[in-house]
């Protein structure tokens, strides 16, 4: 069951990007991503050991997915001092726009490529935990990419 914070969140006024028909990466979009993750049979298989809070910073906006056994149990928006995250991804909107474009250009088609060669893209936090859950995180990011493509 998802918490009340999951159902609430910020309104669509926090839209980040709509360039090229990309959906805004706002609270409503993150709720759709969470539902997609929770409904995905592949994530059921590969996410069994994924217990983490993952941060996504799109420019100045920050969102957290709280996962237990690969299921999103909470979605948080914004920053609070007492919101601990295990690891996360940070980049300007322009970098995320390329990641979510169809098809994504070389170096922007996966977080691994971006982490290696795109200076504006940063991974933060416990990268060991990320590495231990690389397959489930890859699937999670694939699902985000599908949800983030132009309408």
């Amino acid at each position: 069951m998802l918490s009340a914070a999951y159902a609430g969140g910020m309104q669509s006024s926090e839209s980040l990007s709509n360039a090229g028909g990309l959906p805004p990466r706002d609270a409503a979009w993150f709720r759709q991503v969470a539902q997609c993750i929770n409904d995905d049979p592949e994530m059921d298989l590969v996410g069994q050991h994924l217990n983490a809070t993952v941060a996504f910073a799109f420019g100045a906006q920050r969102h957290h997915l709280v996962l237990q056994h690969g299921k999103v149990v909470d979605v948080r928006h914004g920053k609070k001092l007492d919101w601990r995250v295990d690891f996360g991804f940070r980049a300007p909107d322009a970098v995320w726009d390329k990641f979510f474009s169809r098809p994504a250009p070389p170096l922007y088609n996966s977080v691994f490529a971006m982490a290696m060669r795109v200076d504006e893209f940063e991974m933060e936090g416990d990268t060991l935990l990320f590495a231990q859950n690389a397959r489930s995180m890859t699937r999670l990011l694939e699902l985000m990419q599908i949800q983030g493509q132009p309408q």
Side-chain angles (χ1 to χ4, degrees):
M1 180 56 76
L2 297 173
S3 74
Y6 172 83
M10 293 166 39
Q11 298 303 311
S12 60
S13 63
E14 72 176 8
S15 273
L16 299 178
S17 176
N18 203 9
L22 294 172
R25 294 180 290 268
D26 57 12
W29 182 79
F30 263 88
R31 286 191 297 275
Q32 290 175 344
V33 167
Q35 193 63 51
C36 184
I37 291 166
N38 288 347
D39 291 345
D40 186 59
E42 185 175 339
M43 194 65 177
D44 286 344
L45 292 173
V46 300
Q48 297 173 30
H49 302 289
L50 177 58
N51 298 302
T53 300
V54 184
F56 295 90
F58 298 110
Q61 299 293 320
R62 191 169 176 95
H63 306 274
H64 303 155
L65 295 177
V66 181
L67 297 123
Q68 292 178 0
H69 305 289
K71 297 286 188 188
V72 178
V73 296
D74 197 5
V75 180
R76 301 174 182 161
H77 310 284
K79 296 183 206 178
K80 290 197 178 179
L81 290 175
D82 59 346
W83 280 356
R84 181 186 170 280
V85 299
D86 295 296
F87 56 88
F89 310 96
R90 173 191 317 268
D93 287 329
V95 170
W96 288 112
D97 288 348
K98 289 179 184 178
F99 177 75
F100 290 122
S101 65
R102 185 187 313 171
L107 297 182
Y108 295 89
N109 57 349
S110 83
V111 294
F112 296 106
M114 290 192 301
M116 292 175 60
R117 296 286 188 256
V118 177
D119 291 335
E120 301 90 358
F121 182 82
E122 298 176 31
M123 290 180 64
E124 56 191 20
D126 188 349
T127 53
L128 176 59
L129 181 61
F130 171 80
Q132 290 169 331
N133 292 281
R135 179 62 195 109
S136 56
M137 282 305 303
T138 298
R139 182 60 184 161
L140 183 149
L141 288 156
E142 287 170 354
L143 294 169
M144 284 183 74
Q145 216 168 15
I146 291 166
Q147 289 293 313
Q149 291 177 345
Q151 303 295 309

